[in-house]
Amino acid sequence: MNMLTIAIDGFSSTGKSTIAKLLAKELSYVYVDSGAMYRAVTLHAMRQGLISSNRFDREGLINSLSELEIRFEYNKELQKGDVYLNGENVEGLIRNLEVSQLVSLVAAVPEVRRKLVEQQKMLGDQGGVVMDGRDIGTVVFPDADFKFFMTASPEVRAERRFKELQDRGDSISYDEVYENVINRDELDSTRKDSPLIKAEDAVEFDNSDISIKDQLRAMLDIISSKLTE
Ligand code: DC
């Protein structure tokens, strides 16, 4: 069988990465979490004092991009790639609310997108990849073999994210998480460069009320039925 390219886009906390990981495992493909790359750039900007809740030195960030190296390294235990920022594993540092609150600003900078999209295209150029993000089916792999677009109600998404953060020990309120989910949707969907939109040929899933298992089965059915057409 050909090594396919599978693009999964959608709003934040729609379970894209969970489903993308499972799909990749099922097909023995590589899973690439493109959001982790934007989060790693955001962490870099925070550490350099280029971004905070009340300031953003866009030019400074653009100038520092040339000294930024982001890559994935396979984590056997978790069976997925961990993201590395200039040689440091930052996987455990990029999922908190602070990064989540700033990442959409960083992801709206065209120079940042150009750098990461180029790298993402290279990661997928041999096929055999499941990549999730916001612009994978529209910009990174417009010719992907399969495109999925995931949605769920903001309440369901905030609840999922809230549980995830609580499980990690972050002390945070549901309202803060809800607000972040809404804000990110708005910023990601309205930015000028590569906004979050459903590719015309993407299959949409609203997974507010279906289990991950059922959704995975439905996606695998779509893939296998199209392959046997
Ligand atoms: O998937 P995530 O929530 O980890 O993504 C974090 C942010 O990165 C998201 O708010 C928007 C941005 N992003 C993007 O602009 N393009 C992508 N392909 C992936 C993520």
Side-chain angles (χ1 to χ4, degrees), residues 102-120:
L102 299 172
V103 63
S104 291
L105 296 175
V106 169
V109 177
E111 288 81 356
V112 170
R113 303 203 68 82
R114 219 172 300 140
K115 180 180 169 91
L116 298 188
V117 166
E118 191 187 335
Q119 206 178 337
Q120 288 153 9

Side-chain angles (χ1 to χ4, degrees), residues 9 12-13 16 33-36 38-39 95 103-104 107 113 120 132-136 140 184 188 191:
D9 289 302
S12 55
S13 304
K16 295 186 302 291
D33 173 359
S34 69
Y38 290 94
R39 288 174 179 272
R95 315 263 169 207
V103 63
S104 291
R113 303 203 68 82
Q120 288 153 9
D132 79 329
R134 303 294 187 288
D135 60 342
I136 310 305
V140 181
R184 274 207 290 152
D188 294 343
R191 68 175 175 231

Side-chain angles (χ1 to χ4, degrees), residues 37-77:
M37 300 170 79
Y38 290 94
R39 288 174 179 272
V41 176
T42 305
L43 180 68
H44 161 81
M46 286 161 61
R47 285 175 165 178
Q48 301 294 314
L50 299 169
I51 194 168
S52 66
S53 56
N54 52 16
R55 88 179 267 273
F56 183 17
D57 178 359
R58 282 170 60 104
E59 283 310 307
L61 174 61
I62 292 166
N63 290 333
S64 77
L65 286 176
S66 59
E67 58 200 51
L68 201 64
E69 189 236 3
I70 289 173
R71 65 182 163 83
F72 288 97
E73 204 168 290
Y74 192 69
N75 179 326
K76 267 197 203 142
E77 213 174 298

Side-chain angles (χ1 to χ4, degrees), residues 71-228:
R71 65 182 163 83
F72 288 97
E73 204 168 290
Y74 192 69
N75 179 326
K76 267 197 203 142
E77 213 174 298
L78 301 178
Q79 299 188 343
K80 65 177 269 294
D82 279 346
V83 69
Y84 281 69
L85 169 64
N86 289 341
E88 175 192 355
N89 185 340
V90 294
E91 193 59 42
L93 303 172
I94 57 169
R95 315 263 169 207
N96 55 37
L97 192 65
E98 202 183 353
V99 172
S100 300
Q101 278 166 338
L102 299 172
V103 63
S104 291
L105 296 175
V106 169
V109 177
E111 288 81 356
V112 170
R113 303 203 68 82
R114 219 172 300 140
K115 180 180 169 91
L116 298 188
V117 166
E118 191 187 335
Q119 206 178 337
Q120 288 153 9
K121 282 180 190 275
M122 281 192 314
L123 286 169
D125 69 353
Q126 304 294 315
V129 67
V130 182
M131 192 176 292
D132 79 329
R134 303 294 187 288
D135 60 342
I136 310 305
T138 50
V139 176
V140 181
F141 301 131
D143 300 323
D145 299 285
F146 291 95
K147 298 180 186 178
F148 296 102
F149 190 83
M150 320 254 286
T151 65
S153 75
E155 290 76 17
V156 166
R157 292 188 284 128
E159 188 62 43
R160 286 177 187 159
R161 188 93 188 108
F162 176 57
K163 286 214 179 94
E164 221 175 272
L165 290 168
Q166 264 195 330
D167 288 348
R168 287 182 9 164
D170 284 10
S171 63
I172 196 168
S173 71
Y174 169 82
D175 289 348
E176 279 177 291
V177 177
Y178 181 79
E179 202 181 312
N180 177 246
V181 162
I182 300 285
N183 281 344
R184 274 207 290 152
D185 287 354
E186 169 71 14
L187 287 169
D188 294 343
S189 311
T190 55
R191 68 175 175 231
K192 282 208 187 82
D193 190 342
S194 326
L196 167 64
I197 40 165
K198 176 178 167 293
E200 260 175 39
D201 49 349
V203 177
E204 183 166 340
F205 274 95
D206 182 331
N207 62 19
S208 305
D209 298 313
I210 56 170
S211 69
I212 293 282
K213 208 169 138 209
D214 287 346
Q215 186 174 346
L216 180 66
R217 192 170 317 122
M219 289 165 95
L220 286 168
D221 282 351
I222 290 173
I223 294 171
S224 53
S225 66
K226 214 168 157 194
L227 289 179
T228 51

